[in-house]
Amino acid sequence: MFLIDPLSRTPIYEQIIQQLTRLIESGVLSPGDQLPSVRALSLQLRINPNTIQKSYTELDKNGLITSVPGKGCFVSPNAQSLLRAHKRKLMPQFKDLAKELLLAGFSKDDLIQVISQIDEKEKPL
Amino acid sequence: MFLIDPLSRTPIYEQIIQQLTRLIESGVLSPGDQLPSVRALSLQLRINPNTIQKSYTELDKNGLITSVPGKGCFVSPNAQSLLRAHKRKLMPQFKDLAKELLLAGFSKDDLIQVISQIDEKEKPL
Amino acid sequence: MFLIDPLSRTPIYEQIIQQLTRLIESGVLSPGDQLPSVRALSLQLRINPNTIQKSYTELDKNGLITSVPGKGCFVSPNAQSLLRAHKRKLMPQFKDLAKELLLAGFSKDDLIQVISQIDEKEKPL
Amino acid sequence: MFLIDPLSRTPIYEQIIQQLTRLIESGVLSPGDQLPSVRALSLQLRINPNTIQKSYTELDKNGLITSVPGKGCFVSPNAQSLLRAHKRKLMPQFKDLAKELLLAGFSKDDLIQVISQIDEKEKPL
DNA sequence: GTGGTCTAGACCACT
DNA sequence: GTGGTCTAGACCACT
């Protein structure tokens, strides 16, 4: 269910965010569902509770989950629509950034090379 | 000195920002130099003063220029270092976005095509 | 059952949300109950269907109701607990905001006056 | 210059955020100024570097400061305007929350009492 | 030197 | 039990 690579360049807390986001996106975790507790996930993944906490705090700030101190963390009712709204903004942001980079002196080929590198690195994921 | 294309897809106020940014970047405009007044530039470019004002306000927000009420706008002392800092952050952001888009289901070729299109549109600039 | 004041300062769609929320809170509407259809409520209250739709969409986003395309809208199973969770967070937020306002230069009496004004306006509701 | 109360109910990292925000607001720290390094402030306040880091990360996310890994943290060019924009939103948010609390069953006197308590606690600050 | 991440482990308030 | 805060201290990449 969870695959964390402690040697990856992407921080562990971000990997956890990505994994949970996918589980919500794919519907494995539905609105209202309780997430594993900070300690439980910490034990399961053999990762320090502080690192899990950081991920949960971030997800709560983004509204994807609702943390209730003393009770637990729950998938927000509007998590799916938040994810859709987020996705809709990705491509325009990408275009703006690409435009800025081209104006900043990078060539089309520079950007393509960067993308190719990322594509290869992310493949096994 | 200034080339504004009123038919371009990029808003005029952004074109002005880009032009001024380049003049600062290349050193044509040095820290402390006074920019043309809103009215002067408005007349020179035959563009609505409100549009010029919007560009200046934006540049002031980013700290590239400093507007002194009653006196005029001046290139900020640290304009160059701000531009360098900004540029340094562009590429990591671009990589993160590309990664998200690849994970979101876009293919490497989708992204390359988007970049190619932007590259052609921006060429004449 | 429904009291809508078209002359109120609070938008109609919010009034509908408030009314429905109270009906859920008080148990008049129980989890699983079907809400009146957009058209039915529109006719009953003599209010534009788009306005009703907006209220329903908002309630669906918050997870209080679940809209099933082609069948109708239903009170969510966990609606009551969502309302309790929401209420529990209101007061801490209020305290934080009050603290910030006091630090920002507002006096205790300023805040009390604001509250008194709201209290009077909301009374007839 | 810095007054941290480790026994206060407001977390230390928030106290640090508040103090730094004030220094920026009052102009003691100007746009472009470098903040004390995480370690330096940690030693000065005798507080764990992780706690300082948390404050700095928060301030960076809000755009008030710009952190450049390997170089340091700097007051953002538009810090003042961000603070003004933030302040402008406080009172409307406060009114909305007060309205919700009154509708949720709290009385005018409940809210006034809460404010009085905060007012007394915050006085020595 | 700088910021950023992470572990190990303690303590708090609240359910 | 739950999430949230904090300390102590290590290690990383980057300037």
Side-chain angles (χ1 to χ4, degrees):
Chain A
M1 183 170 170
F2 256 87
L3 292 172
I4 301 298
D5 174 10
L7 299 178
S8 161
R9 294 291 293 271
T10 45
I12 293 175
Y13 79 91
E14 277 200 10
Q15 293 185 47
I16 294 170
I17 290 176
Q18 285 173 14
Q19 300 276 350
L20 286 172
T21 303
R22 275 192 220 175
L23 291 176
I24 294 173
E25 202 175 3
S26 61
V28 176
L29 287 172
S30 304
D33 283 0
Q34 182 161 7
L35 299 176
S37 79
V38 172
R39 281 163 186 75
L41 196 54
S42 157
L43 290 170
Q44 184 192 330
L45 303 179
R46 297 175 184 243
I47 281 171
N48 191 285
N50 279 330
T51 304
I52 311 285
Q53 182 73 260
K54 195 171 183 179
S55 309
Y56 278 24
T57 302
E58 191 92 348
L59 285 166
D60 182 59
K61 270 192 192 158
N62 295 339
L64 243 62
I65 70 175
T66 306
S67 83
V68 185
K71 286 202 63 182
C73 288
F74 305 85
V75 178
S76 297
N78 58 341
Q80 298 259 6
S81 79
L82 282 174
L83 283 174
R84 278 195 298 272
H86 179 242
K87 270 199 173 177
R88 243 176 277 128
K89 291 177 196 162
L90 282 183
M91 187 52 91
Q93 283 175 16
F94 178 77
K95 286 184 181 172
D96 283 347
L97 261 182
K99 206 185 290 180
E100 263 209 85
L101 284 164
L102 289 171
L103 288 170
F106 289 93
S107 75
K108 174 184 153 186
D109 289 333
D110 292 336
L111 301 189
I112 289 177
Q113 198 190 339
V114 166
I115 288 172
S116 299
Q117 283 174 1
I118 295 169
D119 187 47
E120 281 177 30
K121 260 199 300 187
E122 297 296 321
K123 245 180 197 162
L125 237 169
Chain B
M1 179 171 173
F2 257 87
L3 290 173
I4 301 299
D5 175 9
L7 301 177
S8 161
R9 293 282 298 272
T10 45
I12 293 175
Y13 83 93
E14 274 199 14
Q15 292 186 47
I16 296 171
I17 290 176
Q18 285 172 14
Q19 300 277 348
L20 286 171
T21 302
R22 277 194 216 177
L23 292 174
I24 293 172
E25 202 176 0
S26 60
V28 176
L29 286 172
S30 305
D33 282 1
Q34 182 162 12
L35 298 176
S37 77
V38 171
R39 269 163 294 167
L41 196 54
S42 156
L43 290 170
Q44 182 193 330
L45 303 178
R46 300 182 183 232
I47 282 171
N48 191 301
N50 287 329
T51 305
I52 311 285
Q53 186 60 58
K54 192 170 180 183
S55 310
Y56 278 25
T57 303
E58 192 85 355
L59 285 165
D60 184 45
K61 259 196 201 163
N62 296 337
L64 282 181
I65 69 176
T66 307
S67 135
V68 185
K71 293 201 64 179
C73 289
F74 303 85
V75 178
S76 298
N78 54 347
Q80 297 255 8
S81 78
L82 280 175
L83 283 174
R84 274 196 302 273
H86 180 240
K87 268 196 177 179
R88 234 175 285 130
K89 291 192 175 179
L90 284 182
M91 188 49 91
Q93 284 176 22
F94 178 77
K95 285 183 179 172
D96 285 347
L97 265 180
K99 207 184 291 179
E100 268 207 82
L101 284 163
L102 289 172
L103 288 172
F106 288 92
S107 74
K108 175 184 153 186
D109 290 333
D110 292 336
L111 302 189
I112 290 178
Q113 199 189 339
V114 166
I115 288 171
S116 298
Q117 283 174 0
I118 295 169
D119 186 48
E120 280 177 29
K121 262 199 297 186
E122 297 294 324
K123 244 182 196 161
L125 236 169
Chain C
M1 181 168 169
F2 257 86
L3 291 172
I4 301 299
D5 174 11
L7 301 176
S8 160
R9 294 281 301 270
T10 46
I12 291 175
Y13 84 93
E14 276 200 13
Q15 292 184 47
I16 295 171
I17 290 176
Q18 285 171 16
Q19 301 276 349
L20 286 171
T21 302
R22 279 193 214 176
L23 292 174
I24 293 172
E25 202 176 0
S26 61
V28 175
L29 286 171
S30 305
D33 283 1
Q34 183 163 10
L35 297 176
S37 78
V38 171
R39 269 163 293 166
L41 197 54
S42 157
L43 291 170
Q44 182 192 329
L45 301 179
R46 300 180 183 235
I47 281 171
N48 192 301
N50 287 329
T51 306
I52 312 285
Q53 187 60 58
K54 193 172 181 183
S55 310
Y56 278 25
T57 302
E58 192 84 357
L59 285 165
D60 184 47
K61 257 194 203 170
N62 297 335
L64 283 182
I65 70 175
T66 308
S67 138
V68 184
K71 293 200 63 179
C73 289
F74 303 85
V75 177
S76 298
N78 55 347
Q80 297 253 10
S81 78
L82 280 175
L83 283 175
R84 277 197 300 274
H86 180 241
K87 269 198 175 178
R88 232 175 288 129
K89 290 192 174 179
L90 285 182
M91 187 51 89
Q93 283 176 22
F94 179 77
K95 285 183 180 173
D96 285 347
L97 265 181
K99 207 183 290 179
E100 267 209 83
L101 284 165
L102 289 171
L103 288 170
F106 288 93
S107 75
K108 175 185 152 186
D109 289 333
D110 291 337
L111 301 189
I112 290 177
Q113 200 189 338
V114 165
I115 288 171
S116 300
Q117 284 175 0
I118 295 169
D119 186 48
E120 281 177 29
K121 262 197 297 185
E122 297 296 322
K123 245 184 198 159
L125 237 170
Chain D
M1 183 168 170
F2 258 86
L3 291 173
I4 301 298
D5 174 10
L7 300 177
S8 162
R9 295 290 294 271
T10 44
I12 294 175
Y13 78 90
E14 278 199 10
Q15 293 185 46
I16 295 170
I17 291 176
Q18 284 173 15
Q19 300 276 351
L20 286 172
T21 303
R22 277 192 219 174
L23 292 175
I24 293 172
E25 202 175 4
S26 62
V28 176
L29 287 172
S30 304
D33 283 0
Q34 183 163 8
L35 298 177
S37 80
V38 172
R39 281 163 186 75
L41 196 54
S42 156
L43 290 171
Q44 183 191 331
L45 302 180
R46 295 171 185 249
I47 281 172
N48 191 285
N50 279 330
T51 304
I52 311 287
Q53 182 73 259
K54 195 172 183 179
S55 309
Y56 278 23
T57 301
E58 189 92 349
L59 285 166
D60 182 58
K61 271 190 192 160
N62 294 338
L64 243 62
I65 70 175
T66 306
S67 84
V68 185
K71 286 201 66 181
C73 289
F74 305 85
V75 178
S76 296
N78 58 338
Q80 298 262 3
S81 78
L82 282 174
L83 283 175
R84 277 195 299 273
H86 178 243
K87 272 200 173 177
R88 244 176 276 128
K89 290 175 195 163
L90 282 183
M91 186 51 91
Q93 283 176 14
F94 178 77
K95 286 183 180 172
D96 285 347
L97 259 184
K99 206 185 289 179
E100 263 209 87
L101 284 165
L102 289 171
L103 288 170
F106 289 93
S107 74
K108 174 184 153 186
D109 289 334
D110 291 337
L111 301 188
I112 290 177
Q113 199 190 337
V114 165
I115 289 172
S116 298
Q117 283 174 3
I118 296 169
D119 188 47
E120 282 176 28
K121 260 199 301 185
E122 295 296 321
K123 244 179 195 163
L125 239 167

